[in-house]
PDB file of all heavy atoms in Angstrom:
ATOM      1  N   ILE A 907       0.823  -1.188  -0.056  1.00 73.00           N
ATOM      2  CA  ILE A 907      -0.008  -0.025  -0.023  1.00 73.00           C
ATOM      3  C   ILE A 907       0.871   1.221   0.002  1.00 73.00           C
ATOM      4  O   ILE A 907       0.388   2.316  -0.287  1.00 73.00           O
ATOM      5  CB  ILE A 907      -0.996  -0.016   1.199  1.00 73.00           C
ATOM      6  CG1 ILE A 907      -2.098   0.972   0.984  1.00 73.00           C
ATOM      7  CG2 ILE A 907      -0.237   0.241   2.498  1.00 73.00           C
ATOM      8  CD1 ILE A 907      -3.360   0.723   1.669  1.00 73.00           C
ATOM      9  N   TRP A 909       3.307   2.035  -2.094  1.00 89.00           N
ATOM     10  CA  TRP A 909       3.459   2.656  -3.391  1.00 89.00           C
ATOM     11  C   TRP A 909       2.217   3.349  -3.863  1.00 89.00           C
ATOM     12  O   TRP A 909       2.246   4.335  -4.583  1.00 89.00           O
ATOM     13  CB  TRP A 909       3.846   1.533  -4.419  1.00 89.00           C
ATOM     14  CG  TRP A 909       2.842   0.493  -4.689  1.00 89.00           C
ATOM     15  CD1 TRP A 909       2.687  -0.689  -3.951  1.00 89.00           C
ATOM     16  CD2 TRP A 909       1.857   0.501  -5.689  1.00 89.00           C
ATOM     17  NE1 TRP A 909       1.663  -1.391  -4.456  1.00 89.00           N
ATOM     18  CE2 TRP A 909       1.102  -0.634  -5.579  1.00 89.00           C
ATOM     19  CE3 TRP A 909       1.519   1.357  -6.690  1.00 89.00           C
ATOM     20  CZ2 TRP A 909       0.051  -1.013  -6.391  1.00 89.00           C
ATOM     21  CZ3 TRP A 909       0.409   1.013  -7.553  1.00 89.00           C
ATOM     22  CH2 TRP A 909      -0.235  -0.135  -7.323  1.00 89.00           C
ATOM     23  N   ILE A 916       1.862  12.067  -4.959  1.00 91.00           N
ATOM     24  CA  ILE A 916       2.271  12.754  -6.127  1.00 91.00           C
ATOM     25  C   ILE A 916       1.056  13.510  -6.769  1.00 91.00           C
ATOM     26  O   ILE A 916       1.208  14.577  -7.214  1.00 91.00           O
ATOM     27  CB  ILE A 916       2.895  11.726  -7.149  1.00 91.00           C
ATOM     28  CG1 ILE A 916       4.270  11.270  -6.621  1.00 91.00           C
ATOM     29  CG2 ILE A 916       3.030  12.292  -8.566  1.00 91.00           C
ATOM     30  CD1 ILE A 916       4.799  10.074  -7.329  1.00 91.00           C
ATOM     31  N   THR A 919       0.279  16.600  -4.820  1.00 91.00           N
ATOM     32  CA  THR A 919       1.219  17.611  -5.051  1.00 91.00           C
ATOM     33  C   THR A 919       1.042  18.275  -6.398  1.00 91.00           C
ATOM     34  O   THR A 919       1.092  19.542  -6.529  1.00 91.00           O
ATOM     35  CB  THR A 919       2.616  17.046  -4.931  1.00 91.00           C
ATOM     36  OG1 THR A 919       2.793  16.375  -3.658  1.00 91.00           O
ATOM     37  CG2 THR A 919       3.754  18.042  -5.139  1.00 91.00           C
ATOM     38  N   ALA A 922      -1.921  20.620  -6.128  1.00 88.00           N
ATOM     39  CA  ALA A 922      -1.544  21.808  -5.374  1.00 88.00           C
ATOM     40  C   ALA A 922      -0.663  22.772  -6.213  1.00 88.00           C
ATOM     41  O   ALA A 922      -1.020  23.955  -6.309  1.00 88.00           O
ATOM     42  CB  ALA A 922      -0.823  21.539  -4.079  1.00 88.00           C
ATOM     43  N   TYR A 927      -0.194  27.545  -9.772  1.00 86.00           N
ATOM     44  CA  TYR A 927       0.186  28.050 -11.124  1.00 86.00           C
ATOM     45  C   TYR A 927      -1.040  28.811 -11.789  1.00 86.00           C
ATOM     46  O   TYR A 927      -0.847  29.863 -12.356  1.00 86.00           O
ATOM     47  CB  TYR A 927       0.622  26.946 -11.981  1.00 86.00           C
ATOM     48  CG  TYR A 927       0.822  27.325 -13.434  1.00 86.00           C
ATOM     49  CD1 TYR A 927       2.073  28.021 -13.805  1.00 86.00           C
ATOM     50  CD2 TYR A 927      -0.010  26.919 -14.388  1.00 86.00           C
ATOM     51  CE1 TYR A 927       2.263  28.370 -15.018  1.00 86.00           C
ATOM     52  CE2 TYR A 927       0.252  27.268 -15.744  1.00 86.00           C
ATOM     53  CZ  TYR A 927       1.379  28.044 -16.031  1.00 86.00           C
ATOM     54  OH  TYR A 927       1.663  28.393 -17.342  1.00 86.00           O
ATOM     55  N   SER A 946     -10.729  47.162 -23.898  1.00 73.00           N
ATOM     56  CA  SER A 946      -9.852  47.236 -25.079  1.00 73.00           C
ATOM     57  C   SER A 946      -9.762  45.902 -25.735  1.00 73.00           C
ATOM     58  O   SER A 946     -10.152  44.877 -25.142  1.00 73.00           O
ATOM     59  CB  SER A 946      -8.495  47.786 -24.665  1.00 73.00           C
ATOM     60  OG  SER A 946      -7.810  46.801 -23.914  1.00 73.00           O
ATOM     61  N   ILE A 952      -7.145  38.712 -23.642  1.00 65.00           N
ATOM     62  CA  ILE A 952      -6.569  38.150 -22.463  1.00 65.00           C
ATOM     63  C   ILE A 952      -7.687  37.568 -21.572  1.00 65.00           C
ATOM     64  O   ILE A 952      -7.509  36.404 -21.047  1.00 65.00           O
ATOM     65  CB  ILE A 952      -5.745  39.187 -21.686  1.00 65.00           C
ATOM     66  CG1 ILE A 952      -4.528  39.572 -22.513  1.00 65.00           C
ATOM     67  CG2 ILE A 952      -5.343  38.626 -20.306  1.00 65.00           C
ATOM     68  CD1 ILE A 952      -3.774  40.765 -21.957  1.00 65.00           C
ATOM     69  N   TYR A 962      -3.260  18.740 -17.832  1.00 75.00           N
ATOM     70  CA  TYR A 962      -4.359  19.152 -18.695  1.00 75.00           C
ATOM     71  C   TYR A 962      -5.618  18.207 -18.586  1.00 75.00           C
ATOM     72  O   TYR A 962      -6.724  18.782 -18.512  1.00 75.00           O
ATOM     73  CB  TYR A 962      -3.910  19.192 -20.131  1.00 75.00           C
ATOM     74  CG  TYR A 962      -4.808  19.823 -21.076  1.00 75.00           C
ATOM     75  CD1 TYR A 962      -5.029  21.257 -20.968  1.00 75.00           C
ATOM     76  CD2 TYR A 962      -5.623  19.061 -21.997  1.00 75.00           C
ATOM     77  CE1 TYR A 962      -5.972  21.900 -21.847  1.00 75.00           C
ATOM     78  CE2 TYR A 962      -6.499  19.738 -22.839  1.00 75.00           C
ATOM     79  CZ  TYR A 962      -6.685  21.068 -22.745  1.00 75.00           C
ATOM     80  OH  TYR A 962      -7.619  21.749 -23.570  1.00 75.00           O
ATOM     81  N   TYR A 963      -5.407  16.940 -18.551  1.00 76.00           N
ATOM     82  CA  TYR A 963      -6.550  16.105 -18.501  1.00 76.00           C
ATOM     83  C   TYR A 963      -6.918  15.693 -16.986  1.00 76.00           C
ATOM     84  O   TYR A 963      -7.746  14.866 -16.820  1.00 76.00           O
ATOM     85  CB  TYR A 963      -6.288  14.765 -19.252  1.00 76.00           C
ATOM     86  CG  TYR A 963      -6.072  14.953 -20.747  1.00 76.00           C
ATOM     87  CD1 TYR A 963      -4.869  14.627 -21.243  1.00 76.00           C
ATOM     88  CD2 TYR A 963      -7.049  15.516 -21.527  1.00 76.00           C
ATOM     89  CE1 TYR A 963      -4.631  14.842 -22.598  1.00 76.00           C
ATOM     90  CE2 TYR A 963      -6.871  15.617 -22.901  1.00 76.00           C
ATOM     91  CZ  TYR A 963      -5.633  15.301 -23.407  1.00 76.00           C
ATOM     92  OH  TYR A 963      -5.434  15.450 -24.778  1.00 76.00           O
ATOM     93  N   ILE A 966      -3.063  13.062 -13.599  1.00 88.00           N
ATOM     94  CA  ILE A 966      -2.133  12.849 -12.475  1.00 88.00           C
ATOM     95  C   ILE A 966      -2.843  13.344 -11.250  1.00 88.00           C
ATOM     96  O   ILE A 966      -2.882  12.590 -10.305  1.00 88.00           O
ATOM     97  CB  ILE A 966      -0.833  13.715 -12.736  1.00 88.00           C
ATOM     98  CG1 ILE A 966      -0.101  13.092 -13.933  1.00 88.00           C
ATOM     99  CG2 ILE A 966       0.073  13.534 -11.521  1.00 88.00           C
ATOM    100  CD1 ILE A 966       1.121  13.914 -14.345  1.00 88.00           C
ATOM    101  N   VAL A 971      -4.958  10.411  -7.395  1.00 92.00           N
ATOM    102  CA  VAL A 971      -5.618  10.485  -6.077  1.00 92.00           C
ATOM    103  C   VAL A 971      -6.852   9.575  -6.111  1.00 92.00           C
ATOM    104  O   VAL A 971      -7.136   8.928  -5.040  1.00 92.00           O
ATOM    105  CB  VAL A 971      -6.082  12.035  -5.800  1.00 92.00           C
ATOM    106  CG1 VAL A 971      -6.891  12.105  -4.555  1.00 92.00           C
ATOM    107  CG2 VAL A 971      -4.813  12.786  -5.684  1.00 92.00           C
ATOM    108  N   GLY A 972      -7.541   9.549  -7.238  1.00 93.00           N
ATOM    109  CA  GLY A 972      -8.785   8.628  -7.268  1.00 93.00           C
ATOM    110  C   GLY A 972      -8.327   7.193  -7.162  1.00 93.00           C
ATOM    111  O   GLY A 972      -8.971   6.407  -6.421  1.00 93.00           O
ATOM    112  N   ARG A 983     -12.351  -1.728   3.370  1.00 92.00           N
ATOM    113  CA  ARG A 983     -13.585  -2.462   3.400  1.00 92.00           C
ATOM    114  C   ARG A 983     -13.397  -3.963   3.584  1.00 92.00           C
ATOM    115  O   ARG A 983     -14.159  -4.590   4.342  1.00 92.00           O
ATOM    116  CB  ARG A 983     -14.348  -2.260   2.025  1.00 92.00           C
ATOM    117  CG  ARG A 983     -15.654  -1.470   2.173  1.00 92.00           C
ATOM    118  CD  ARG A 983     -16.444  -1.368   0.841  1.00 92.00           C
ATOM    119  NE  ARG A 983     -17.357  -2.421   0.690  1.00 92.00           N
ATOM    120  CZ  ARG A 983     -17.230  -3.607   0.061  1.00 92.00           C
ATOM    121  NH1 ARG A 983     -16.097  -3.875  -0.539  1.00 92.00           N
ATOM    122  NH2 ARG A 983     -18.198  -4.542   0.044  1.00 92.00           N
ATOM    123  N   GLN A 984     -12.436  -4.454   2.929  1.00 92.00           N
ATOM    124  CA  GLN A 984     -12.164  -5.906   3.069  1.00 92.00           C
ATOM    125  C   GLN A 984     -11.585  -6.340   4.408  1.00 92.00           C
ATOM    126  O   GLN A 984     -11.972  -7.380   4.929  1.00 92.00           O
ATOM    127  CB  GLN A 984     -11.162  -6.407   1.966  1.00 92.00           C
ATOM    128  CG  GLN A 984     -11.787  -6.465   0.503  1.00 92.00           C
ATOM    129  CD  GLN A 984     -10.687  -6.981  -0.407  1.00 92.00           C
ATOM    130  OE1 GLN A 984      -9.549  -6.861  -0.303  1.00 92.00           O
ATOM    131  NE2 GLN A 984     -11.253  -7.529  -1.503  1.00 92.00           N
ATOM    132  N   ALA A 999     -15.781   8.836  -3.704  1.00 94.00           N
ATOM    133  CA  ALA A 999     -14.821   9.986  -3.996  1.00 94.00           C
ATOM    134  C   ALA A 999     -13.784   9.535  -5.038  1.00 94.00           C
ATOM    135  O   ALA A 999     -13.515  10.210  -5.950  1.00 94.00           O
ATOM    136  CB  ALA A 999     -14.137  10.407  -2.729  1.00 94.00           C
ATOM    137  N   ALA A1002     -15.492   9.389  -8.372  1.00 92.00           N
ATOM    138  CA  ALA A1002     -15.737  10.745  -8.862  1.00 92.00           C
ATOM    139  C   ALA A1002     -14.489  11.331  -9.436  1.00 92.00           C
ATOM    140  O   ALA A1002     -14.504  12.023 -10.482  1.00 92.00           O
ATOM    141  CB  ALA A1002     -16.282  11.624  -7.717  1.00 92.00           C
ATOM    142  N   TYR A1015     -11.797  15.564 -26.818  1.00 70.00           N
ATOM    143  CA  TYR A1015     -11.838  14.794 -28.080  1.00 70.00           C
ATOM    144  C   TYR A1015     -13.219  14.805 -28.803  1.00 70.00           C
ATOM    145  O   TYR A1015     -13.273  14.540 -29.968  1.00 70.00           O
ATOM    146  CB  TYR A1015     -11.329  13.358 -27.812  1.00 70.00           C
ATOM    147  CG  TYR A1015      -9.921  13.361 -27.549  1.00 70.00           C
ATOM    148  CD1 TYR A1015      -9.450  12.991 -26.240  1.00 70.00           C
ATOM    149  CD2 TYR A1015      -8.931  13.699 -28.438  1.00 70.00           C
ATOM    150  CE1 TYR A1015      -8.109  12.952 -25.952  1.00 70.00           C
ATOM    151  CE2 TYR A1015      -7.603  13.786 -28.065  1.00 70.00           C
ATOM    152  CZ  TYR A1015      -7.183  13.336 -26.834  1.00 70.00           C
ATOM    153  OH  TYR A1015      -5.821  13.332 -26.546  1.00 70.00           O
ATOM    154  N   PRO A1028     -18.672  15.518 -11.194  1.00 83.00           N
ATOM    155  CA  PRO A1028     -17.543  15.016 -10.401  1.00 83.00           C
ATOM    156  C   PRO A1028     -16.873  16.146  -9.554  1.00 83.00           C
ATOM    157  O   PRO A1028     -16.401  15.791  -8.499  1.00 83.00           O
ATOM    158  CB  PRO A1028     -16.578  14.457 -11.416  1.00 83.00           C
ATOM    159  CG  PRO A1028     -16.991  15.033 -12.700  1.00 83.00           C
ATOM    160  CD  PRO A1028     -18.375  15.401 -12.602  1.00 83.00           C
ATOM    161  N   ILE A1030     -18.442  18.679  -8.004  1.00 88.00           N
ATOM    162  CA  ILE A1030     -19.264  18.742  -6.831  1.00 88.00           C
ATOM    163  C   ILE A1030     -19.023  17.562  -5.890  1.00 88.00           C
ATOM    164  O   ILE A1030     -18.920  17.663  -4.639  1.00 88.00           O
ATOM    165  CB  ILE A1030     -20.705  18.893  -7.161  1.00 88.00           C
ATOM    166  CG1 ILE A1030     -20.934  20.315  -7.885  1.00 88.00           C
ATOM    167  CG2 ILE A1030     -21.601  18.798  -5.932  1.00 88.00           C
ATOM    168  CD1 ILE A1030     -22.317  20.471  -8.506  1.00 88.00           C
ATOM    169  N   PRO A1037     -13.572  16.074   1.246  1.00 91.00           N
ATOM    170  CA  PRO A1037     -13.405  16.527   2.666  1.00 91.00           C
ATOM    171  C   PRO A1037     -14.120  15.695   3.665  1.00 91.00           C
ATOM    172  O   PRO A1037     -13.624  15.500   4.756  1.00 91.00           O
ATOM    173  CB  PRO A1037     -13.952  17.971   2.630  1.00 91.00           C
ATOM    174  CG  PRO A1037     -13.760  18.326   1.169  1.00 91.00           C
ATOM    175  CD  PRO A1037     -14.015  17.013   0.405  1.00 91.00           C
ATOM    176  N   LEU A1038     -15.303  15.205   3.347  1.00 94.00           N
ATOM    177  CA  LEU A1038     -16.046  14.314   4.271  1.00 94.00           C
ATOM    178  C   LEU A1038     -15.254  13.103   4.633  1.00 94.00           C
ATOM    179  O   LEU A1038     -15.131  12.736   5.783  1.00 94.00           O
ATOM    180  CB  LEU A1038     -17.429  13.933   3.659  1.00 94.00           C
ATOM    181  CG  LEU A1038     -18.349  13.120   4.476  1.00 94.00           C
ATOM    182  CD1 LEU A1038     -18.832  13.961   5.688  1.00 94.00           C
ATOM    183  CD2 LEU A1038     -19.552  12.735   3.712  1.00 94.00           C
ATOM    184  N   PHE A1047      -8.530   8.281  13.140  1.00 86.00           N
ATOM    185  CA  PHE A1047      -7.118   8.167  13.609  1.00 86.00           C
ATOM    186  C   PHE A1047      -6.932   8.910  14.899  1.00 86.00           C
ATOM    187  O   PHE A1047      -6.134   8.438  15.732  1.00 86.00           O
ATOM    188  CB  PHE A1047      -6.227   8.763  12.541  1.00 86.00           C
ATOM    189  CG  PHE A1047      -5.949   7.903  11.348  1.00 86.00           C
ATOM    190  CD1 PHE A1047      -5.498   8.424  10.189  1.00 86.00           C
ATOM    191  CD2 PHE A1047      -6.365   6.593  11.372  1.00 86.00           C
ATOM    192  CE1 PHE A1047      -5.311   7.643   9.080  1.00 86.00           C
ATOM    193  CE2 PHE A1047      -6.163   5.763  10.212  1.00 86.00           C
ATOM    194  CZ  PHE A1047      -5.622   6.282   9.157  1.00 86.00           C
ATOM    195  N   SER A1048      -7.638   9.979  15.248  1.00 87.00           N
ATOM    196  CA  SER A1048      -7.451  10.708  16.488  1.00 87.00           C
ATOM    197  C   SER A1048      -8.076   9.879  17.595  1.00 87.00           C
ATOM    198  O   SER A1048      -7.460   9.862  18.722  1.00 87.00           O
ATOM    199  CB  SER A1048      -8.097  12.043  16.430  1.00 87.00           C
ATOM    200  OG  SER A1048      -9.467  12.004  16.261  1.00 87.00           O
ATOM    201  N   THR A1050      -8.199   6.548  17.665  1.00 79.00           N
ATOM    202  CA  THR A1050      -7.333   5.415  17.778  1.00 79.00           C
ATOM    203  C   THR A1050      -6.044   5.891  18.541  1.00 79.00           C
ATOM    204  O   THR A1050      -5.606   5.178  19.475  1.00 79.00           O
ATOM    205  CB  THR A1050      -6.860   4.922  16.416  1.00 79.00           C
ATOM    206  OG1 THR A1050      -8.008   4.588  15.677  1.00 79.00           O
ATOM    207  CG2 THR A1050      -5.939   3.709  16.547  1.00 79.00           C
ATOM    208  N   GLU A1054      -4.802   4.506  22.283  1.00 74.00           N
ATOM    209  CA  GLU A1054      -3.448   3.976  22.494  1.00 74.00           C
ATOM    210  C   GLU A1054      -2.760   4.678  23.588  1.00 74.00           C
ATOM    211  O   GLU A1054      -2.084   4.065  24.451  1.00 74.00           O
ATOM    212  CB  GLU A1054      -2.627   4.026  21.203  1.00 74.00           C
ATOM    213  CG  GLU A1054      -3.056   3.098  20.110  1.00 74.00           C
ATOM    214  CD  GLU A1054      -2.292   3.314  18.849  1.00 74.00           C
ATOM    215  OE1 GLU A1054      -1.457   4.213  18.762  1.00 74.00           O
ATOM    216  OE2 GLU A1054      -2.578   2.596  17.886  1.00 74.00           O
ATOM    217  N   SER A1061      -1.143   1.125  31.475  1.00 65.00           N
ATOM    218  CA  SER A1061      -0.127   0.062  31.692  1.00 65.00           C
ATOM    219  C   SER A1061       1.158   0.555  32.374  1.00 65.00           C
ATOM    220  O   SER A1061       1.817  -0.174  33.142  1.00 65.00           O
ATOM    221  CB  SER A1061       0.271  -0.507  30.349  1.00 65.00           C
ATOM    222  OG  SER A1061       0.944   0.462  29.569  1.00 65.00           O
ATOM    223  N   THR A1063       1.080   2.939  34.718  1.00 62.00           N
ATOM    224  CA  THR A1063       0.815   3.270  36.174  1.00 62.00           C
ATOM    225  C   THR A1063       0.317   2.143  36.922  1.00 62.00           C
ATOM    226  O   THR A1063       0.415   2.109  38.174  1.00 62.00           O
ATOM    227  CB  THR A1063      -0.410   4.339  36.201  1.00 62.00           C
ATOM    228  OG1 THR A1063      -1.545   3.785  35.514  1.00 62.00           O
ATOM    229  CG2 THR A1063       0.009   5.651  35.602  1.00 62.00           C
TER     230      THR A1063
END
Side-chain angles (χ1 to χ4, degrees):
I907 195 156
W909 65 273
I916 290 169
T919 303
Y927 175 74
S946 68
I952 292 169
Y962 191 71
Y963 299 116
I966 298 171
V971 172
R983 245 185 96 262
Q984 287 183 335
Y1015 292 114
I1030 291 169
L1038 183 66
F1047 286 164
S1048 66
T1050 304
E1054 287 175 0
S1061 65
T1063 58

